[in-house]
């Protein structure tokens, strides 16, 4: 049985502003496209999106959110780490959907993205990832890496490589 079942969201605040459009597009990319890929790789976690969680399973293992808000910024992903560590499965379905409002001003969007980046940095130092990386096969480790901090590292490398490319075009 699946312990976590995720589904897509429709952001109804997309047409309100340009920031709302960009946040809605980012939400679509992460919630729909990325979650489908992570589910097919069997490393889809719980990312705070509207997921169905097996309530009995979660309550008998300490609850949905185990971490303290002082230690971890986005503690909801640790439910997914617990699921993966216990050889349980999660999935993603497209036949269910939910509407959601998203930030439509720049400062709110910046604060939200900063929270996600801080949470990804804090996940690196958790014991959950240490234990998962000790026992998972290499392909699952790589999938788990790109589903967490690897996204930000690859974005940084892509940004620097584009700047280097443009600089080299201008100089040479």
């Amino acid at each position: 049985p699946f312990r976590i079942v995720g589904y897509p969201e429709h952001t109804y605040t997309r047409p309100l502003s340009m920031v709302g459009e960009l946040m809605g597009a980012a939400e679509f990319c992460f919630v729909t496209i990325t979650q489908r890929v992570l589910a097919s790789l069997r490393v889809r976690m719980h990312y705070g999106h509207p997921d169905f969680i097996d309530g009995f399973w979660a309550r008998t293992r300490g609850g949905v959110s185990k971490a303290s808000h002082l230690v971890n910024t986005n503690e909801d992903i640790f439910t997914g780490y617990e699921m993966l560590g216990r050889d349980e499965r999660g999935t993603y379905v497209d036949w269910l959907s939910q509407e959601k409002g998203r930030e439509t001003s720049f400062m709110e969007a910046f604060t939200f993205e900063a929270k996600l980046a801080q949470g990804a940095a804090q996940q690196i130092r958790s014991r959950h990832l240490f234990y998962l990386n000790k026992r998972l096969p290499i392909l699952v480790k790589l999938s788990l890496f790109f589903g967490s901090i690897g996204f930000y590292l690859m974005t940084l490398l892509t940004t620097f490589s584009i700047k280097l490319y443009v600089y080299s075009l201008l100089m040479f």
Side-chain angles (χ1 to χ4, degrees):
F2 296 112
R3 299 301 179 196
I4 300 174
V5 178
Y7 50 93
E9 298 172 334
H10 170 71
T11 307
Y12 61 85
T13 53
R14 275 182 90 162
L16 297 180
S17 70
M18 183 54 122
V19 174
E21 179 65 33
L22 295 174
M23 288 297 291
E27 190 80 18
F28 174 75
C29 289
F30 181 73
V31 176
T32 304
I33 299 169
T34 306
Q35 296 297 313
R36 286 179 189 161
V37 172
L38 292 175
S40 66
L41 295 172
R42 299 183 70 164
V43 292
R44 188 202 177 273
M45 306 293 169
H46 171 60
Y47 295 101
H49 301 291
D51 292 344
F52 286 117
I53 297 176
D54 184 348
F56 179 76
W57 176 84
R59 282 191 300 273
T60 56
R61 283 152 184 84
V64 175
S65 298
K66 294 179 187 245
S68 164
H69 71 282
L70 300 173
V71 177
N72 299 99
T73 304
N74 52 354
E75 74 282 349
D76 49 1
I77 196 168
F78 289 94
T79 304
Y81 290 155
E82 188 75 23
M83 176 192 68
L84 192 60
R86 294 177 184 265
D87 292 328
E88 302 282 350
R89 290 196 57 201
T91 190
Y92 183 83
V93 296
D94 284 317
W95 44 265
L96 187 62
S97 180
Q98 176 177 340
E99 286 202 348
K100 178 181 186 176
R102 184 47 83 197
E103 291 80 6
T104 56
S105 72
F106 182 73
M107 284 308 296
E108 292 171 351
F110 174 75
T111 304
F112 177 72
E113 294 293 332
K115 175 193 174 285
L116 293 180
Q118 291 167 358
Q122 290 175 345
Q123 290 168 30
I124 294 175
R125 64 187 181 136
S126 72
R127 64 183 175 94
H128 292 84
L129 281 181
F130 175 75
Y131 291 127
L132 284 175
N133 281 314
K134 281 177 63 173
R135 60 186 293 264
L136 292 175
I138 186 69
L139 292 177
V140 178
K141 285 180 190 178
L142 290 173
S143 302
L144 188 62
F145 172 73
F146 283 106
S148 59
I149 194 68
F151 170 77
Y152 296 100
L153 292 176
M154 293 309 295
T155 303
L156 181 68
L157 286 174
T158 303
T159 304
F160 282 144
S161 64
I162 290 172
K163 287 181 181 180
L164 183 65
Y165 176 71
V166 171
Y167 180 73
S168 65
L169 285 177
L170 293 174
M171 297 307 280
F172 301 110

